[in-house]
Amino acid sequence: MLTTVLNFAQCVAEISLLGGIEIASVALIIYYVFAKTRAPAIIARLFPNLNLSYRSSLGKFNTIGNEILFTLRPSNEPKPQNFLEHGIGTRNMLQLTPHAGLKPFKSVFDWGNVLPYVAQVVRSEKFDYRQVTEIVHNDVVFKHAIKQAAEQTLREQRYAKNGHRLLARSISGDKDEEEDAKEGISYQKILHKQEQRAVTILKEMGSTLNNTLLAITSWLLYKLLPCFLSGVVTNTKQIEMLQNASKRSPDTPLIFVPLHRSHLDYIMVTFILTNNDIRSPLVAAGNNLQIPVFGTLLRGLGAFFIKRKIDPVEGKKDVLYRAALHLYITHALKQGHNVEFFIEGGRTRTGKPCMPKGGILSVIVNAFMDGSIPDALLVPVSVNYERLVDGNFVREQKGEKKVPESFRKAISGIWKALNSNYGLMRIDFNEPYSIRELVNSYNKIAREDGNSKVYKPASRTLQHNQSTSSLYGTDVVCEEHRNLIESISRQVVFDCAEATSVMSTNALAFLLLTRFRNGAEEQLIAAALDDLRNTLTGCKDLGFSGESAHIVAYACDLLGTDLVTRTRDENGRMFIRAVPSVESFIELSYYSNVLTPHFALSSILLTTFHSLVPEAKDDTSETTGVSQKKLIETALENCLVYRYEFILNKPTQVLESMLHKQLDELLINGCLRRNEVDDSGHNAETRRMARKLAYDLDESDGYDNNDSEGYLHSSQEDSEMLLLARETLVQQRNICEVLAPFASTYLAVAQSLQILHRSAMLESEFISFVINDISNKVTRGSCVYAESISTDSVRNCLKLFEKWSVIEVCNQRGMRLISLNTLYEMSRESLNSIVKKIEAVVPKYNASYFSQQKLLNEPPV
């Protein structure tokens, strides 16, 4: 009896703190779901005669001592209109239950009519999600990688113990039998440790995706998401497209590639796919998300965790971990899993797309090239929010350290979210394209260019020859495929950015930062929004509809008083302006930057034009024009400045052709002008419009736009002079303002290079110096763009200068040191040339015809 009691006490004592936390967390979530949202709603649905409203019946929590009073309000009480109609052709996924609810030809007595969400998650199609961890562990290649890792460790130990002497003896074979025996024992111990490490790696990496957790989580999301989101909107045609693709090629995996904005992204993609009978994907997630409770939850929803830094020591390749990651993804694809990964690596801190990281994509392409899979369909996914659920990234942009993810941070974030309003979330699934067809397209371009480099998939599976040492990005891949992977990844990011829907907050923030930095009356901003909507029609999908005045008021309320203020003047007119603080401008730029890539080429062209056009003597005198050829050539050079900031064209497009297309649009819109009638007597504007129409038709038919086909222009047009259009100066300035903050950041970095003269510096310290310098300029008023304070742009500029060989970057003990290249170290004039090169992309507002004060007093166009 005593033994039994002691054993029971021991079992109780062995319950871990983590288990207690998990139980408490689950209990808290269940309590919140029942107490705040569900109980009154279920009663209202079951007993409609009680006349209880759905949302108002959430109740008021009045705490008196230990008592909680629930107050239910009648449904006929008027509610404020705090939502917008989403775009045409879209549906709110939170209200869509394909397998439940009242349906044609379905019995009215179906229990799914009473409990539609339960019926939906129960009746949705269930898939066989095979676990691949054991398959990877038994793979011959993985066992070979374990031996390689053990041999590498043994060599390092030899060198550390005996230095070069032992290395020389090992080469000559001059060793005694005793040393051989010791090394044999040592190797066996090392091999055993590597085998244990291999098991640990696979255990920490592997996903436990299962139908049960998917169903439970789907039901919870149906209940919880309406508490803080007014809708999760997507186009039902896009869902049908994915369903047809899955049915048409059931053995071809779908590779979902979203742009990353929030931790909610991958959960919502899985939620939509699961409830529309599409196989849920395995999702690549950073191991920083392996926090108590939530790490287990994400793993069950399909997450497989990857280390944020693959190699623990700089310059030393972790062969075992790379092989595990490569084989895990490859076998997952072979077992029929869909895969989802974020091609940017992490969440965007600026709101615009980041440069792609080709690591996981390289593994998928390699699996196709070596015959492991016959094909794969890449599905670019665009995600956007009216208000970001994750908060903001202002601290990180100001150079402060990121707060690491933790259980406490996750709980507080969820609690804050459940008591807030974040508006609409929009998800767009773009048309899938085959990796096989992409490879064939790039091979066709290579042959046309006379390039001997053609990518040929293997005719048979080469599993036994898969390399565990050739590397690219974060994964194992043949080095010869580097250009192919880079081209595919850039095309995916470009397509995702182009297809990202514009939300109401994006439009308002864009207008406040480019047209109304000092604020304006609500009526003027609404008129400017009408103009912006007309400009974007046919080019970008709008995630809102309705009257512009209502949209502006709604977006202001959603952004909140910390970012935007709405006050009435003495005449009773509503005046809207951005809160004049560094933090508010940085956060507003996050929302505005969704539109920045769309206007980037126009901004570069107009900024280049104003830097080339000679200054007039006075406001009335005519200025000398700029030849179209010179404008395009200079604009091409200026585009290279932003090579790490924006992807301005697809790899299958020619940038010069894109600039010509954009130039014609500026001419049609009246931002530039030239002789209206050419030598043949035809109207030039009509000719340009006809050419643009032909270009758009070719593009919609799937033709590539290059010099020989697509957007053609004549040599006569190259020699024509482009003149200043004075009547649209305000509009021109607005377009130049789009990239002005980035140009200001780049100029500050270029000017700061002087401190590297004859002295190396830690990269982190240099970035802090530049951020402080820009902050001081903003405080003094010499820099009007507070959003120029951006560590991301500073890093991108440093990459550019490293590419130009202006600076050198070396790693010492895990720290990055930057120094000037020899040429720029010896010559200050060389540094001045770099500053002038960057100044060419900074908008010029000091011309007599472009007076800043004059423009500020004119009404917007």
Side-chain angles (χ1 to χ4, degrees):
M1 181 66 181
L2 180 61
T3 304
T4 306
V5 173
L6 290 176
N7 289 336
F8 177 76
Q10 185 179 0
C11 292
V12 173
E14 287 177 353
I15 296 177
S16 65
L17 177 62
L18 178 61
I21 294 175
E22 291 187 356
I23 294 172
S25 303
V26 172
L28 177 64
I29 293 172
I30 293 175
Y31 165 76
Y32 188 91
V33 172
F34 177 82
K36 183 168 183 179
T37 60
R38 292 302 101 211
I42 293 174
I43 294 172
R45 188 183 292 115
L46 292 175
F47 305 100
N49 292 332
L50 292 179
N51 200 26
L52 301 175
S53 83
Y54 174 78
R55 194 63 188 258
S56 60
S57 63
L58 296 181
K60 294 181 178 179
F61 293 86
N62 301 316
T63 306
I64 304 177
N66 294 325
E67 297 180 359
I68 300 178
L69 303 178
F70 296 91
T71 306
L72 300 179
R73 292 180 293 178
S75 61
N76 56 4
E77 182 178 337
K79 296 191 298 182
Q81 294 293 324
N82 60 349
F83 61 92
L84 287 179
E85 293 295 330
H86 42 79
I88 300 173
T90 59
R91 293 287 300 274
N92 183 359
M93 294 292 106
L94 301 182
Q95 299 173 350
L96 198 62
T97 51
H99 295 291
L102 293 174
K103 305 286 183 184
F105 311 108
K106 287 271 183 115
S107 172
V108 294
F109 299 105
D110 183 11
W111 67 274
N113 298 333
V114 180
L115 299 172
Y117 298 141
V118 176
Q120 168 63 28
V121 299
V122 170
R123 294 172 179 174
S124 60
E125 186 174 351
K126 304 299 184 289
F127 295 91
D128 180 20
Y129 296 110
R130 301 175 184 174
Q131 303 302 315
V132 298
T133 304
E134 191 66 27
I135 300 175
V136 174
H137 187 265
N138 296 328
D139 194 291
V140 176
V141 177
F142 190 58
K143 294 184 181 298
H144 178 64
I146 294 174
K147 292 180 179 179
Q148 273 190 313
E151 292 168 0
Q152 182 183 27
T153 304
L154 181 61
R155 286 194 300 269
E156 291 171 357
Q157 287 185 359
R158 286 179 184 175
Y159 187 81
K161 185 177 181 180
N162 298 306
H164 296 284
R165 179 177 59 82
L166 182 57
L167 184 61
R169 289 178 59 186
S170 64
I171 294 174
S172 64
D174 184 17
K175 294 190 295 184
D176 54 28
E177 295 180 0
E178 184 179 353
E179 286 181 344
D180 285 338
K182 288 181 178 179
E183 285 191 4
I185 296 173
S186 177
Y187 174 74
Q188 291 301 322
K189 290 182 179 179
I190 294 172
L191 182 62
H192 180 66
K193 287 183 178 179
Q194 291 297 335
E195 289 174 347
Q196 289 180 325
R197 180 170 179 258
V199 173
T200 303
I201 288 173
L202 291 176
K203 183 179 179 181
E204 293 178 351
M205 180 184 296
S207 168
T208 57
L209 179 61
N210 62 88
N211 289 300
T212 302
L213 192 56
L214 284 173
I216 295 173
T217 305
S218 292
W219 181 82
L220 282 173
L221 291 175
Y222 269 123
K223 301 302 182 181
L224 288 178
L225 289 175
C227 296
F228 60 95
L229 291 175
S230 56
V232 178
V233 178
T234 192
N235 196 309
T236 52
K237 295 293 184 183
Q238 297 171 358
I239 301 297
E240 293 173 6
M241 174 186 65
L242 294 179
Q243 291 172 336
N244 293 334
S246 298
K247 293 176 183 177
R248 189 167 54 248
S249 304
D251 297 329
T252 303
L254 296 176
I255 313 299
F256 297 95
V257 192
L259 294 184
H260 200 7
R261 294 188 173 275
S262 166
H263 288 310
L264 200 59
D265 296 346
Y266 34 83
I267 296 176
M268 294 314 304
V269 170
T270 298
F271 170 78
I272 291 174
L273 296 177
T274 299
N275 287 288
N276 286 278
D277 299 334
I278 302 172
R279 179 184 289 270
S280 295
L282 296 181
V283 186
N287 65 345
N288 59 315
L289 296 177
Q290 281 186 298
I291 54 181
V293 182
F294 298 101
T296 304
L297 175 63
L298 293 176
R299 195 186 296 275
L301 295 177
F304 64 97
F305 294 99
I306 303 173
K307 290 196 299 186
R308 303 293 289 182
K309 188 175 182 180
I310 300 295
D311 300 318
V313 180
E314 193 71 36
K316 177 185 174 183
K317 299 173 182 177
D318 192 342
V319 175
L320 182 57
Y321 191 89
R322 289 170 177 263
L325 177 58
H326 176 263
L327 292 170
Y328 187 89
I329 297 174
T330 302
H331 281 294
L333 294 171
K334 293 175 68 175
Q335 293 299 317
H337 284 285
N338 295 333
V339 173
E340 178 186 347
F341 69 96
F342 298 98
I343 200 165
E344 301 166 287
R347 292 170 294 169
T348 173
R349 266 62 178 168
T350 60
K352 65 178 183 60
C354 303
M355 292 296 105
K357 294 179 173 60
I360 295 179
L361 178 62
S362 69
V363 177
I364 297 170
V365 172
N366 198 48
F368 163 71
M369 299 300 281
D370 69 15
S372 297
I373 55 174
D375 197 5
L377 295 178
L378 288 175
V379 185
V381 182
S382 304
V383 183
N384 203 1
Y385 300 81
E386 282 190 321
R387 186 179 165 206
L388 191 65
V389 179
D390 293 18
N392 61 65
F393 301 101
V394 173
R395 294 181 72 257
E396 294 178 50
Q397 290 303 295
K398 292 173 65 178
E400 300 176 26
K401 288 186 178 181
K402 175 190 172 184
V403 179
E405 281 77 10
S406 64
F407 178 80
R408 180 178 179 181
K409 180 182 176 183
I411 288 294
S412 63
I414 292 174
W415 187 262
K416 179 182 177 182
L418 290 171
N419 290 278
S420 304
N421 176 27
Y422 295 93
L424 288 173
M425 177 185 182
R426 176 70 181 262
I427 301 180
D428 289 290
F429 297 92
N430 302 318
E431 185 174 358
Y433 37 77
S434 161
I435 288 183
R436 180 185 295 277
E437 293 177 2
L438 277 175
V439 172
N440 292 337
S441 299
Y442 292 129
N443 285 340
K444 179 182 177 183
I445 295 173
R447 293 189 187 98
E448 291 175 351
D449 293 343
N451 191 344
S452 59
K453 187 62 185 174
V454 177
Y455 308 103
K456 294 182 179 180
S459 58
R460 60 189 178 89
T461 302
L462 300 176
Q463 276 189 306
H464 58 283
N465 288 332
Q466 283 179 336
S467 170
T468 55
S469 57
S470 59
L471 308 171
Y472 173 68
T474 59
D475 309 301
V476 182
V477 74
C478 299
E479 287 285 343
E480 61 187 19
H481 297 156
R482 180 186 292 268
N483 292 334
L484 171 66
I485 292 159
E486 184 177 352
S487 297
I488 294 176
S489 61
R490 291 178 70 87
Q491 178 158 337
V492 168
V493 173
F494 184 91
D495 288 342
C496 285
E498 200 172 44
T500 300
S501 298
V502 180
M503 311 304 282
S504 59
T505 49
N506 301 138
L508 177 62
F510 182 78
L511 292 174
L512 290 176
L513 295 185
T514 59
R515 299 194 187 189
F516 308 107
R517 292 190 70 89
N518 294 325
E521 293 180 4
E522 188 175 52
Q523 184 179 359
L524 290 177
I525 296 179
L529 180 58
D530 283 330
D531 177 49
L532 180 63
R533 294 169 74 177
N534 292 333
T535 302
L536 297 175
T537 300
C539 304
K540 297 281 288 183
D541 192 10
L542 300 179
F544 56 88
S545 60
E547 296 183 3
S548 291
H550 175 60
I551 294 168
V552 169
Y554 167 80
C556 287
D557 290 338
L558 202 57
L559 289 173
T561 56
D562 291 338
L563 298 182
V564 181
T565 60
R566 297 175 72 227
T567 56
R568 292 193 180 276
D569 57 18
E570 59 277 5
N571 297 322
R573 298 174 181 173
M574 190 66 72
F575 190 86
I576 299 174
R577 66 173 297 174
V579 174
S581 68
V582 170
E583 291 76 15
S584 65
F585 275 100
I586 293 176
E587 188 170 354
L588 281 173
S589 69
Y590 180 94
Y591 296 99
S592 172
N593 281 339
V594 170
L595 280 164
T596 300
H598 179 75
F599 292 97
L601 285 179
S602 297
S603 184
I604 291 172
L605 277 169
L606 280 177
T607 300
T608 304
F609 174 80
H610 285 291
S611 67
L612 293 176
V613 67
E615 186 174 346
K617 295 181 180 179
D618 53 60
D619 291 349
T620 59
S621 61
E622 188 66 47
T623 58
T624 307
V626 178
S627 70
Q628 177 172 314
K629 182 178 181 180
K630 185 176 182 180
L631 174 61
I632 295 296
E633 289 176 351
T634 310
L636 280 171
E637 294 178 3
N638 290 342
C639 285
L640 295 178
V641 174
Y642 294 112
R643 65 188 305 163
Y644 295 109
E645 204 72 53
F646 302 98
I647 298 177
L648 298 173
N649 64 302
K650 294 182 183 180
T652 54
Q653 295 173 327
V654 177
L655 183 56
E656 183 177 355
S657 299
M658 301 292 291
L659 286 172
H660 277 286
K661 173 180 177 290
Q662 207 63 46
L663 176 60
D664 272 3
E665 289 186 357
L666 291 174
L667 289 165
I668 292 171
N669 295 333
C671 293
L672 297 175
R673 64 184 181 90
R674 58 183 170 191
N675 294 334
E676 294 184 359
V677 181
D678 60 18
D679 295 337
S680 60
H682 294 92
N683 186 274
E685 181 175 343
T686 304
R687 172 166 48 83
R688 289 191 294 271
M689 293 181 67
R691 186 169 62 242
K692 179 178 180 297
L693 177 61
Y695 172 87
D696 292 337
L697 289 174
D698 284 346
E699 192 176 48
S700 64
D701 290 338
Y703 294 115
D704 294 331
N705 302 300
N706 50 41
D707 288 332
S708 60
E709 59 177 359
Y711 209 82
L712 303 176
H713 61 280
S714 65
S715 57
Q716 178 186 356
E717 290 176 339
D718 282 342
S719 61
E720 284 184 350
M721 302 301 289
L722 300 173
L723 305 178
L724 180 70
R726 294 181 181 275
E727 60 276 8
T728 58
L729 281 178
V730 176
Q731 186 177 349
Q732 294 172 50
R733 179 190 172 107
N734 295 338
I735 297 175
C736 290
E737 289 278 291
V738 172
L739 295 184
F742 299 95
S744 298
T745 305
Y746 277 46
L747 182 59
V749 176
Q751 292 170 342
S752 299
L753 292 176
Q754 299 287 348
I755 67 171
L756 296 178
H757 184 64
R758 300 190 183 282
S759 63
M761 195 173 186
L762 284 174
E763 184 184 54
S764 57
E765 292 180 356
F766 182 80
I767 293 174
S768 298
F769 176 85
V770 175
I771 293 297
N772 290 333
D773 180 54
I774 300 175
S775 299
N776 292 333
K777 289 179 179 178
V778 170
T779 303
R780 295 194 305 266
S782 56
C783 176
V784 297
Y785 307 105
E787 62 270 30
S788 293
I789 303 173
S790 171
T791 55
D792 279 41
S793 293
V794 174
R795 292 182 191 277
N796 292 337
C797 186
L798 289 177
K799 290 179 186 176
L800 176 70
F801 289 157
E802 185 181 5
K803 179 71 174 180
W804 286 354
S805 298
V806 178
I807 61 173
E808 295 177 345
V809 181
C810 63
N811 290 281
Q812 292 186 2
R813 298 178 181 178
M815 297 183 295
R816 288 170 58 89
L817 287 174
I818 60 175
S819 58
L820 290 176
N821 199 310
T822 306
L823 173 63
Y824 297 94
E825 186 75 58
M826 298 175 62
S827 173
R828 292 289 184 99
E829 281 300 319
S830 299
L831 277 181
N832 292 335
S833 67
I834 295 298
V835 173
K836 290 179 181 178
K837 199 169 183 178
I838 300 299
E839 284 178 342
V841 300
V842 178
K844 303 295 189 297
Y845 296 141
N846 56 352
S848 59
Y849 59 84
F850 220 174
S851 170
Q852 182 174 2
Q853 188 62 39
K854 179 180 178 181
L855 289 174
L856 289 176
N857 294 332
E858 291 183 6
V861 177

